[in-house]
Amino acid sequence: MRRFYPAVILLVIFTFLTGSSTEARTGSTITLKNFSGSGKHSGFLKIDGGRIDIDSIVNAFSLRTSVDIMGDRLDLVGNGGSCRLLLGSSLVLSKGLFAVLTEPFDTVDGKMSVPLDFLTKGLPAIIGKSVAMDRERQSLTVGPVGSGSFKGVNADHLDRYASFIQRDQFEPQASEESSYEGLRVVVLDPGHGGRSDGARGGTGTLEKDLVLSVSQKLKNMLEEDLGVKVVLTRTADYYVGLKERTAIANNNRADLFLSIHANAAFRKTVQGYETYYLSFSASDLEASQLAQIENKALGVEGDVREAPLLEAILWDMAQLEFINESGRFANQVQETLVRSMKGKDRGVRQAPLAVLMGARMPATLVEIGFISNPSQEIKLNRDAHQDRIARALFDAISEYNRKLIRGEAGGRRP
Amino acid sequence: VKKVFKVVVIAAMAAALVIAALFFFKLMPGQKPGPITGRSPEAELEGPRVIDLYFADAAGRRLALEAREVTAQSVEESIHQAIRELIAGPRKESLSSTVPEGVGIRSVYYRDDIAYIDLTPNISSSHPGGSWAELLTVYSIINTVTENFSEVRKVQILLGGREHETLAGHIDISRPLPGRVQLLAGDW
């Protein structure tokens, strides 16, 4: 997937929109012209008061968008990936990083817009090419990812440019991305442990023992049959904190995080399988805005790689960038598990699960059956049944891995 | 013409006066001073009111409503009553409890849009476990408060007087959380 890009040359011409009103509000457009193909006009970027209309970016670069139910989160998706904007926030979230714009993404006169530095900070992640503005040479450079550092320009001065002359900085960057061979490190997280028993079956089966057993079986299968490195967050009956579990996955640079739990309900008749990935809500948005305030107070700018403190504040948001991939993996797990076990499908669900929050990789939690259901509890205690569950989870992971290699899934691309 | 204008202005002023007086006399007698509890003066209530408790459906897939009447004078007392009823469980056979038996309320208080529900820590040990069951427990409590008391924007659940990361190892309750009415449809 997207190994090579033909050198698309964009000619960017600046023209002032109107000569009507004099100063202050200098409305202008950047016209994008595609010279590599038919040469037909491919769109324009509307600039007003140092801000760009989202619609014009979407049209010019043929992006897809999705807005969440609350209407406060906008995802922009292109051939190179995606990024997320939060209404009223200056943060651009992409590929596990948080860039900070000079002004927030907001609605001005009913139109969604972003400050100009979005072109260098957010757009590259979406179109998979670097975008650089060069004041001295008056150029907007569109090239492959990684061909340069993305330094924003001061939006105030941009309107002065008479024109942008395109330059093509295409430098083939074979190595890292094309050598992606699928999963290397998988972290399995047997739920609970130690003082945390988890759910308890009617005859005394403990969730913590059951999930450890299944996790160890799965670990052996993955190492032997798939050749990946597997790390368990706990290898015996002891307590590990929820944040610590995610930290183990992050520190091992895991490509996948699977938390394994056994289910329980208030009513004993309930049975079936569920798989979860993390949900985000409006309160998370507030958290990101808080982080933004902290960020301003610290005077931190640009790439979060340079700002460890901000990174710590945004722990809760770390999973956000991998959320689509987590959903894809969750679907794979649920589908395979239900099919293999011929069990009741209680669906893939999103929930604010504490153990998934800090994960910087696709992460899901699977509930491998209800031990609160007496007949299920008996089954879950059988070694052969545990083997079947472990095999079903193995099948799900190896199928996900096949899709990664074929380029049908995004995985953890840093 | 001047005279006509003058008459119109005077008539308008008189009309305004009459309307103002009407409002004054109509509204004033109804505004009895509420009983002083000394806890949250701005949050007084009048008489009994009907609220919706958030229980779970039988299959434990979604939240479902059951009405109760509360009679307390203050918001804090009403919330306390509502949570007590929630813990006592549903009357309808088709509904299921979301809070384990034997859980007590240590205290309920309300500050700056946030209601603090302090429960006895045995809710953790007596909870059946399971991600969705825990989600329903947490949001049956939160929704019961946020959806019935418009004064409350968020709910912080405390166990034994302290903030906890989760109730039973799954769902984040480390901070004040807003309600999720979508759970009535079984959706997060």
Side-chain angles (χ1 to χ4, degrees):
Chain A
M1 181 180 176
R2 56 180 193 270
R3 294 282 175 267
F4 178 78
Y5 282 99
V8 176
I9 304 169
L10 298 171
L11 178 68
V12 185
I13 306 163
F14 239 99
T15 50
F16 284 97
L17 259 184
T18 50
S20 59
S21 69
T22 44
E23 63 282 80
R25 285 175 64 88
T26 43
S28 57
T29 61
I30 301 176
T31 307
L32 305 167
K33 217 168 180 184
N34 188 339
F35 273 88
S36 66
S38 60
K40 82 176 199 282
H41 177 72
S42 63
F44 58 93
L45 301 179
K46 264 178 73 182
I47 298 175
D48 199 348
R51 294 178 70 87
I52 314 170
D53 208 6
I54 287 283
D55 286 347
S56 71
I57 298 175
V58 167
N59 290 333
F61 293 96
S62 305
L63 307 180
R64 297 184 301 281
T65 61
S66 71
V67 183
D68 76 331
I69 264 176
M70 314 288 290
D72 50 26
R73 189 184 80 197
L74 175 72
D75 287 354
L76 295 168
V77 186
N79 289 329
S82 67
C83 82
R84 174 160 292 178
L85 293 164
L86 305 163
L87 201 67
S89 165
S90 297
L91 294 177
V92 182
L93 317 174
S94 188
K95 305 199 163 124
L97 291 175
F98 303 80
V100 184
L101 303 176
T102 50
E103 287 173 39
F105 159 58
D106 223 327
T107 307
V108 180
D109 299 332
K111 290 288 229 176
M112 292 186 290
S113 65
V114 282
L116 280 174
D117 62 341
F118 176 79
L119 289 179
T120 52
K121 288 174 178 169
L123 195 57
I126 308 169
I127 60 174
K129 297 168 195 160
S130 66
V131 179
M133 288 189 213
D134 189 336
R135 280 183 64 193
E136 301 307 314
R137 305 184 64 149
Q138 300 191 338
S139 67
L140 179 74
T141 307
V142 179
V145 168
S147 68
S149 59
F150 312 136
K151 291 248 168 78
V153 296
N154 189 335
D156 297 339
H157 302 299
L158 202 70
D159 289 28
R160 288 194 209 140
Y161 300 159
S163 68
F164 282 89
I165 302 156
Q166 87 294 345
R167 278 188 302 135
D168 185 26
Q169 272 194 348
F170 192 74
E171 296 160 21
Q173 233 228 341
S175 59
E176 245 184 287
E177 245 189 291
S178 57
S179 67
Y180 192 74
E181 295 289 340
L183 301 174
R184 288 156 299 192
V185 182
V186 173
V187 168
L188 300 178
D189 172 45
H192 308 278
R195 59 183 153 90
S196 172
D197 288 341
R200 179 191 292 265
T203 63
T205 309
L206 297 180
E207 178 184 0
K208 64 176 182 178
D209 299 331
L210 182 64
V211 296
L212 179 62
S213 171
V214 170
S215 299
Q216 278 163 337
K217 287 172 188 292
L218 178 56
K219 179 184 195 283
N220 294 338
M221 290 175 189
L222 287 169
E223 284 176 340
E224 282 164 25
D225 300 347
L226 203 61
V228 296
K229 183 187 170 192
V230 179
V231 177
L232 294 180
T233 55
R234 68 179 177 94
T235 54
D237 184 17
Y238 51 85
Y239 181 76
V240 182
L242 296 178
K243 284 203 169 80
E244 204 181 322
R245 292 166 194 257
T246 332
I248 290 168
N250 290 344
N251 292 341
N252 280 286
R253 296 183 179 281
D255 300 304
L256 204 57
F257 180 82
L258 179 62
S259 189
I260 300 174
H261 285 244
N263 224 337
F266 280 87
R267 292 213 178 184
K268 288 185 164 63
T269 50
V270 175
Q271 60 170 304
Y273 299 97
E274 293 168 354
T275 307
Y276 290 88
Y277 63 109
L278 193 61
S279 65
F280 291 93
S281 61
S283 59
D284 301 313
L285 177 73
E286 286 172 29
S288 85
Q289 279 166 338
L290 175 73
Q292 188 191 323
I293 294 161
E294 301 275 350
N295 182 46
K296 274 182 184 157
L298 294 165
V300 178
E301 271 183 17
D303 199 320
V304 177
R305 278 184 212 277
E306 302 159 8
L309 191 58
L310 180 62
E311 209 162 2
I313 295 163
L314 291 170
W315 170 271
D316 286 0
M317 304 292 282
Q319 175 63 196
L320 190 58
E321 186 52 40
F322 301 96
I323 205 68
N324 293 339
E325 209 51 45
S326 296
R328 203 168 289 145
F329 178 51
N331 275 294
Q332 184 69 62
V333 169
Q334 179 70 5
E335 183 197 309
T336 313
L337 191 59
V338 168
R339 183 164 26 86
S340 313
M341 306 306 293
K342 297 177 177 63
K344 191 170 181 184
D345 185 358
R346 287 175 58 91
V348 170
R349 297 169 175 196
Q350 282 187 272
L353 289 156
V355 75
L356 301 179
M357 280 176 175
R360 290 185 164 277
M361 75 275 316
T364 70
L365 182 150
V366 63
E367 295 275 9
I368 58 169
F370 282 83
I371 58 172
S372 52
N373 178 308
S375 69
Q376 292 298 307
E377 184 191 2
I378 295 167
K379 275 191 185 173
L380 283 162
N381 267 319
R382 290 192 189 125
D383 197 54
H385 187 84
Q386 292 180 11
D387 279 333
R388 280 180 62 206
I389 290 171
R391 183 53 66 180
L393 295 176
F394 169 84
D395 289 343
I397 292 170
S398 46
E399 180 56 28
Y400 178 75
N401 188 46
R402 267 194 292 279
K403 285 180 179 168
L404 274 184
I405 294 167
R406 287 202 301 260
E408 292 164 26
R412 190 187 85 100
R413 290 176 190 275
Chain B
V1 180
K2 244 185 183 175
K3 217 173 184 181
V4 172
F5 181 72
K6 231 178 188 175
V7 169
V8 169
V9 168
I10 287 164
M13 283 169 73
L17 253 170
V18 169
I19 289 164
L22 273 174
F23 266 94
F24 185 78
F25 289 113
K26 192 174 188 314
L27 294 181
M28 280 312 281
Q31 285 188 338
K32 291 183 206 131
I36 295 153
T37 60
R39 284 203 285 177
S40 53
E42 75 277 19
E44 303 303 337
L45 296 175
E46 291 174 27
R49 57 182 286 195
V50 176
I51 59 161
D52 287 321
L53 299 180
Y54 284 72
F55 293 110
D57 71 339
R61 279 177 184 270
R62 56 186 185 85
L63 293 177
L65 303 177
E66 193 174 277
R68 289 283 189 289
E69 203 169 82
V70 292
T71 51
Q73 291 293 347
S74 73
V75 167
E76 284 171 349
E77 282 170 25
S78 301
I79 294 172
H80 199 283
Q81 264 190 36
I83 300 299
R84 200 161 48 223
E85 289 290 330
L86 188 72
I87 294 171
R91 289 169 191 162
K92 288 182 204 156
E93 263 297 297
S94 60
L95 298 185
S96 174
S97 227
T98 52
V99 182
E101 279 175 43
V103 172
I105 305 169
R106 294 179 80 243
S107 70
V108 169
Y109 53 99
Y110 163 69
R111 301 273 184 286
D112 302 329
D113 300 349
I114 298 172
Y116 295 81
I117 314 292
D118 187 5
L119 303 171
T120 54
N122 64 338
I123 191 171
S124 295
S125 49
S126 54
H127 195 275
S131 301
W132 199 252
E134 188 175 326
L135 185 81
L136 293 185
T137 302
V138 168
Y139 282 89
S140 71
I141 295 169
I142 293 174
N143 282 2
T144 293
V145 179
T146 58
E147 303 312 307
N148 288 301
F149 303 94
S150 56
E151 304 87 341
V152 178
R153 207 165 50 87
K154 290 182 180 186
V155 175
Q156 169 78 60
I157 296 173
L158 303 171
L159 305 181
R162 288 177 45 230
E163 290 169 5
H164 279 246
E165 198 174 16
T166 67
L167 212 64
H170 307 96
I171 305 300
D172 176 40
I173 54 161
S174 60
R175 56 200 162 130
L177 297 164
R180 291 297 290 189
V181 283
Q182 295 93 322
L183 283 167
L184 285 173
D187 298 325
W188 163 251

